[in-house]
Amino acid sequence: MKLYLARSGLQVEDLDQLNIIHVTGTKGKGSTCAFTERILRSYGLKTGFFSSPHLVQVRERIRINGQPISPELFTKHFWPLYHRLEETKDSSSYVSMPAYFRFLTLMAFHVFLQEKVDLAVVEVGIGGAYDCTNIIRKPAVCGISSLGIDHTSILGDTVEEIAWQKGGIFKRGVPAFTVLQPDGPLAVLRDRAQQISCPLYLCPPLEALEEGGPPLTLGLEGEHQRSNAALALQLARCWLQQKDYRGIGELKVSRPSLLRQMPLAPVFQPTTHMRHGLRDTEWLGRTQVLRRGPLTWYLDGAHTASSMQACVRWFRQALHRRPRPSRGSEVLVLLFNSTGDRDPAALLKLLQPCQFDYAVFCPNLTEVSTVGNADQQNFMVTLDQVLLRCLAHQQHWSRLDEEQAGPEPGEPTSSLLAPHPPEPRSTSSLVFSCISHALLWISQGRDPVFQPPSPPQGLFAHPVAGSGAGVLREAAAIHVLVTGSLHLVGGVLKLLEPALSQ
């Protein structure tokens, strides 16, 4: 990465002037970054934000003041960087050109420097220690969100191994913050920080910061976002304190305290700027709700066990709060896909308590044709491979359906959202070859925005598709949870929100 950076015309020292906030974690690192960026932007600062993956267009990965860079700015920076790397490549080197994510990381640094941002929030891609963003040698502050199991083929099979990888972003003398973690990974982070004299602090819960003042309103739904918001407040306040900003929140507790053998981060009164930043945060595809006529789309890119548990809690709470139709039926639909080395059976098992009427599986392909969908195309897999995986997901779901037990003593027996239904109920399931076909069947032309041409002949010939179409057309309300993959959520958003492609 140092060689790539040098070939691109930069030195590692050049990155020091970006005043970077470097964030990693398993669950919530993107949301933490989004909260942090929005808080600091509310202070009038010009922000850069590098994140991954993108949902609809690759430009989303590089943002200025919260907005994806324009197509013009993207091409302005893309081609000079590409040509510079192409001209300086050495055929004898191990890799002559950087791969996709490394190239975009380099490009983000160039954009932020040339656009003269006041700070840059940088989200780690995978892990931390060996991630290409770890070329950053002097961040202003580091953060680690909730840890769990993910990317095991790269990071290790245990949370402790993964914690070691994540702690690789720590730098000597640079303050770092983390949220409450299980004892094992927390001890790993603590030891990792102590070895290099990195001051590591544990974030107090959001309730401690709210005490004595009005409750904080978050722009992102879900109870799990409170942990991300608590981390973001500490990261933003630490950055502002380093820059000698006034109005960074009056301390509530003057003396430092310890928790789990770690110093507790400051307990302070969030400022008006901080409150507005948290309230105004937008982060598409994470606990996002779109209401369209009789259809309500619930979008969450959960793809690990812990994030899926949080997704299910959020979805069920949202359903409990929903307005009930005065007449007619309600239908619950799951749209799911999972990629990489994740365990789809474990994720699907966590979704069982939602009691869906239909489970729909499709690959992360917006259309069967790749024309006009280059930013959402994965050239590392074939159509046959992704369809076989979808069929495997359907088989996992069918087995879980068969295994589902009756109610336990004391469990509710009549609620739509009861964790254990009174009787094992079979969910009808379908596999479609692309997202567009799946949405065609689910929406049945009833979404006022998603109005594609007529479906291909024979698309709904399957008996389940035929009978289900009638049910969906007559339903008073249809609730659709889209989850399992951020790339799936991105494809759905591209179709439901055409403005995102413009």
Side-chain angles (χ1 to χ4, degrees), residues 86-108:
E86 183 74 24
E87 290 162 3
T88 57
K89 71 180 181 182
D90 180 356
S91 58
S92 64
S93 63
Y94 175 60
V95 179
S96 59
M97 289 289 281
Y100 190 83
F101 184 78
R102 287 184 180 181
F103 182 91
L104 291 171
T105 304
L106 291 168
M107 184 170 157

Side-chain angles (χ1 to χ4, degrees), residues 31-48:
S31 298
T32 298
C33 288
F35 278 129
T36 305
E37 183 276 334
R38 190 63 188 86
I39 290 169
L40 291 169
R41 184 154 41 98
S42 72
Y43 277 83
L45 293 159
K46 184 176 183 179
T47 62

Side-chain angles (χ1 to χ4, degrees), residues 59-136:
R59 298 183 292 106
E60 298 165 24
R61 296 183 182 228
I62 305 173
R63 296 170 181 258
I64 302 292
N65 286 333
Q67 295 300 312
I69 59 175
S70 66
E72 295 76 20
L73 194 59
F74 188 92
T75 53
K76 172 188 171 183
H77 290 284
F78 178 93
W79 287 114
L81 176 59
Y82 182 87
H83 290 316
R84 202 175 296 129
L85 291 166
E86 183 74 24
E87 290 162 3
T88 57
K89 71 180 181 182
D90 180 356
S91 58
S92 64
S93 63
Y94 175 60
V95 179
S96 59
M97 289 289 281
Y100 190 83
F101 184 78
R102 287 184 180 181
F103 182 91
L104 291 171
T105 304
L106 291 168
M107 184 170 157
F109 292 147
H110 279 269
V111 171
F112 297 154
L113 285 166
Q114 292 185 40
E115 296 300 313
K116 295 182 170 53
V117 299
D118 295 315
L119 69 123
V121 180
V122 175
E123 179 188 359
V124 166
I126 295 176
Y130 304 115
D131 187 74
C132 64
T133 64
N134 210 24
I135 190 75
I136 301 163

Side-chain angles (χ1 to χ4, degrees), residues 271-392:
T271 67
T272 301
H273 287 311
M274 293 173 180
R275 290 179 174 276
H276 288 172
L278 291 175
R279 180 199 65 195
D280 297 339
T281 298
E282 294 181 359
W283 195 226
L284 299 185
R286 286 79 169 179
T287 60
Q288 182 182 358
V289 180
L290 296 175
R291 292 181 174 85
R292 304 282 187 72
L295 285 122
T296 305
W297 304 88
Y298 303 82
L299 312 175
D300 190 76
H303 51 272
T304 67
S306 57
S307 62
M308 188 60 76
Q309 287 171 329
C311 170
V312 168
R313 282 196 300 271
W314 161 71
F315 178 62
R316 297 179 71 187
Q317 288 168 358
L319 285 179
H320 274 301
R321 296 194 302 267
R322 76 196 186 283
R324 308 291 176 102
S326 56
R327 60 179 65 184
S329 64
E330 294 187 271
V331 180
L332 267 61
V333 181
L334 169 67
L335 179 57
F336 178 91
N337 192 34
S338 176
T339 61
D341 56 7
R342 281 134 195 156
D343 182 356
L347 298 179
L348 290 168
K349 187 170 185 178
L350 293 170
L351 287 160
Q352 282 278 307
C354 296
Q355 285 300 289
F356 294 100
D357 297 291
Y358 296 96
V360 179
F361 305 95
C362 69
N364 299 337
L365 301 171
T366 311
E367 309 279 355
V368 175
S369 168
T370 60
V371 176
N373 298 295
D375 279 5
Q376 294 179 310
Q377 186 70 16
N378 182 356
F379 295 100
M380 306 300 288
V381 292
T382 66
L383 179 59
D384 284 348
Q385 286 173 320
V386 295
L387 285 175
L388 284 170
R389 189 174 177 98
C390 290
L391 288 168

